[in-house]
């Protein structure tokens, strides 16, 4: 890829090559998921925790809003978080649903609201439903309080978490799974057409959610950077990219303690992030980068995207849509293969109207 020695996604731990989609699904995928859990994101909260939904619907011209309170029961009590869902009136069901993991508290109640980050009215006008939850209801983005909502339903609050237990990013990904539990039951939506989307820190969570939970038909990591789409072994990528030690130091509540063992020793990781993207196969992986987003190392995101293609190729879906695997591609253009989508927006870190235009025009739910 760039002269570095990256782990080969198509080699089993016992050294045998992976040559078929069945071998990938049955043998290699579980190995990689276990490695990412043990070393990078941590063990998640249980997906099977009993969950109930309480729905309040409000009608607007052409749009129904549903406020869904999702209550989860754990051994130490139960707690709820809110999912907001907007469903446009369409002939038949919406074209699909975008589920956003939101760490900015930026999705309000009105269907007419719009921002570059969450252009609700534009998404609805394009015929898609839009759902969002605030990460604060799952694990507040704060090193002192991140355990307070959902994590301590499953862990003793007065004791340190086990070293290999997931922290906030793992919990946010788990929250996307619980939101998906609800979306699967909503009669107004097509359960086979749900994309999970997140920007930056939420992009890391969206990719991890989509890697694990095969109910997501498409997975969008926007400017997800370090421990998202960016290859860890690139270090700072020569341009100030965020390293494993930098992210662990600045955000000690995002990842398990086990990840710190790789501070300054990325090459000792049993995985790298192209294998996270490969875990989404054969579903659609969508990577959005920004040319001026030095912290996220857009070249490292691009290289991970292209290095996931051999796994897609097992499903005969290895076309990345790019004319060449050479960095840099043209900016502000959507590249699309049958199951892989990529763009490099010009400009700085952000989820903007230009990114959303590419996602909405990207026909993410068909090959
Ligand atoms: C910081 C952090 C990144 C993260 C970003 C964000 O810059 O270092 O890893 O992606 O915040 O969430 O905006």
């Amino acid at each position: 890829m760039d002269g570095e020695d990256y782990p080969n996604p198509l080699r089993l731990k016992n050294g045998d090559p992976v040559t078929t989609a069945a071998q990938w699904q049955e043998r290699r995928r579980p190995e990689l998921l276990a490695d990412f859990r043990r070393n990078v994101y941590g063990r998640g909260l249980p997906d099977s925790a009993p969950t109930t939904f309480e729905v309040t619907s409000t009608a607007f011209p052409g749009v129904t809003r549903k406020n869904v309170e999702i209550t989860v029961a754990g051994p130490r009590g139960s707690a709820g978080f809110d999912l907001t869902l907007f469903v446009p009136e369409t002939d038949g069901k919406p074209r699909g649903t975008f589920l956003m993991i939101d760490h900015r508290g930026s999705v309000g109640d009105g269907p007419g609201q719009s921002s570059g980050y969450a252009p609700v009215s534009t998404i609805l006008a394009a015929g898609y439903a839009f759902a969002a939850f605030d990460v604060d209801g799952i694990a507040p983005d704060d090193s002192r309080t991140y355990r307070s909502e959902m994590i301590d339903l499953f862990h003793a609050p007065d004791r340190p978490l086990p070293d290999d237990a997931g922290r906030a990013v793992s919990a946010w990904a788990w929250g996307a799974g619980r939101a998906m539990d609800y979306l699967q039951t909503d009669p107004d939506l097509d359960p086979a057409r749900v994309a999970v989307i997140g920007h930056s820190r939420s992009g890391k969570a969206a990719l991890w959610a989509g890697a694990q939970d095969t109910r997501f038909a498409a997975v969008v990591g926007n400017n997800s950077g370090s421990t998202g789409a960016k290859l860890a072994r690139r270090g700072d990528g020569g341009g100030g990219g965020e390293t494993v030690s930098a992210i662990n130091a600045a955000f000690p509540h995002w990842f398990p303690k086990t990840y710190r063992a790789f501070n300054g020793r990325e090459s000792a990781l049993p995985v790298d992030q192209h294998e996270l993207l490969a875990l989404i196969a054969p579903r659609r992986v969508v990577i959005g980068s920004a040319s001026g987003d030095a912290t996220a190392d857009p070249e490292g995101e691009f290289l991970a995207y292209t290095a996931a293609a051999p796994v897609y190729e097992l499903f005969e879906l290895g076309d990345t849509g790019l004319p060449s695997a050479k960095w840099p591609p043209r900016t502000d253009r959507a590249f699309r293969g049958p199951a892989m989508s990529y763009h490099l927006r010009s400009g700085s870190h952000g989820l903007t109207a230009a990114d959303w235009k590419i996602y909405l025009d990207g026909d993410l739910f068909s090959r």
Side-chain angles (χ1 to χ4, degrees):
M1 294 191 257
D2 59 357
E4 274 287 334
D5 205 8
Y6 290 94
N8 181 353
L10 295 179
R11 192 161 295 282
L12 289 165
K13 279 184 175 297
N14 70 9
D16 289 351
V18 176
T19 55
T20 67
Q23 281 176 328
W24 169 263
Q25 298 283 43
E26 286 152 31
R27 302 196 53 199
R28 184 58 178 144
R29 200 177 127 75
E31 283 186 352
L32 282 170
L33 283 169
D35 273 344
F36 275 108
R37 274 192 195 111
R38 193 172 306 118
N39 303 291
V40 180
Y41 299 103
R43 272 188 291 122
L45 302 175
D47 289 323
S48 56
T51 303
T52 55
F53 314 119
E54 202 178 304
V55 186
T56 314
S57 293
T58 311
F60 295 86
V63 180
T64 302
R65 186 189 71 221
K66 304 189 194 191
N67 292 92
V68 185
E69 184 174 10
I70 301 179
T71 302
V72 181
R76 291 169 193 276
S78 63
F81 72 100
D82 297 316
L83 177 73
T84 307
L85 166 66
F86 297 95
V87 184
E89 230 165 67
T90 45
D91 282 346
K93 293 188 178 180
R95 296 170 67 188
T97 304
F98 286 92
L99 168 64
M100 179 182 233
I101 304 176
D102 176 26
H103 63 273
R104 294 190 176 173
S106 56
V107 180
D109 271 345
Q113 66 184 302
S114 191
S115 63
Y117 178 79
V120 176
S121 56
T122 308
I123 297 167
L124 300 174
Y128 290 98
F130 179 71
F133 67 90
D134 191 321
V135 301
D136 276 356
I138 305 287
D141 191 7
D142 179 313
S143 60
R144 285 154 310 177
T145 58
Y146 72 99
R147 295 176 56 174
S148 61
E149 294 296 328
M150 294 293 166
I151 294 177
D152 281 349
L153 297 180
F154 302 92
H155 289 279
D158 48 352
R159 293 233 296 274
L161 290 178
D163 286 358
D164 67 343
R167 267 60 175 183
V169 168
S170 164
W172 302 340
W174 172 89
R178 305 295 66 75
M180 186 61 161
D181 292 343
Y182 169 74
L183 297 174
Q184 295 288 295
T185 68
D186 189 304
D188 293 339
L189 305 176
D190 181 345
R193 290 176 162 246
V194 181
V196 60
I197 179 168
H199 166 63
S200 207
R201 65 197 67 188
S202 296
K204 310 176 203 302
L207 292 172
W208 180 226
Q212 298 176 89
D213 189 334
T214 58
R215 296 173 299 175
F216 290 110
V219 183
V220 188
N222 190 82
N223 298 189
S224 60
S226 176
T227 326
K230 166 202 181 289
L231 291 167
R233 279 169 177 70
R234 280 176 51 86
D236 73 359
E242 188 177 28
T243 62
V244 171
S245 70
I247 203 167
N248 279 326
F251 304 98
H253 61 294
W254 282 2
F255 304 110
K257 281 206 168 149
T258 49
Y259 193 36
R260 299 183 197 171
F262 303 98
N263 287 351
R265 332 174 32 240
E266 283 90 347
S267 59
L269 275 163
V271 290
D272 211 320
Q273 299 301 117
H274 58 309
E275 295 174 305
L276 180 74
L277 308 188
L279 284 167
I280 297 164
R283 297 162 295 128
R284 181 171 295 276
V285 59
V286 185
I287 298 303
S289 293
S291 59
D293 189 4
T295 308
D297 182 16
E299 182 175 355
E301 297 180 318
F302 174 86
L303 291 171
Y305 174 77
T306 56
V311 175
Y312 276 86
E313 192 49 43
L314 292 177
F315 300 88
E316 295 177 16
L317 297 167
D319 174 5
T320 61
L322 293 158
S324 141
K326 227 177 117 237
W327 173 263
R330 257 178 65 186
T331 51
D332 304 311
R333 258 203 63 168
F335 299 100
R336 182 187 189 281
M340 302 182 76
S341 301
Y342 173 88
H343 76 277
L344 177 65
R345 178 176 48 73
S346 55
S348 56
H349 190 66
L351 174 54
T352 70
D355 297 306
W356 270 108
K357 179 161 173 33
I358 286 175
Y359 301 140
L360 294 174
D361 291 348
D363 209 3
L364 302 186
F365 299 104
S366 35
R367 293 296 189 207

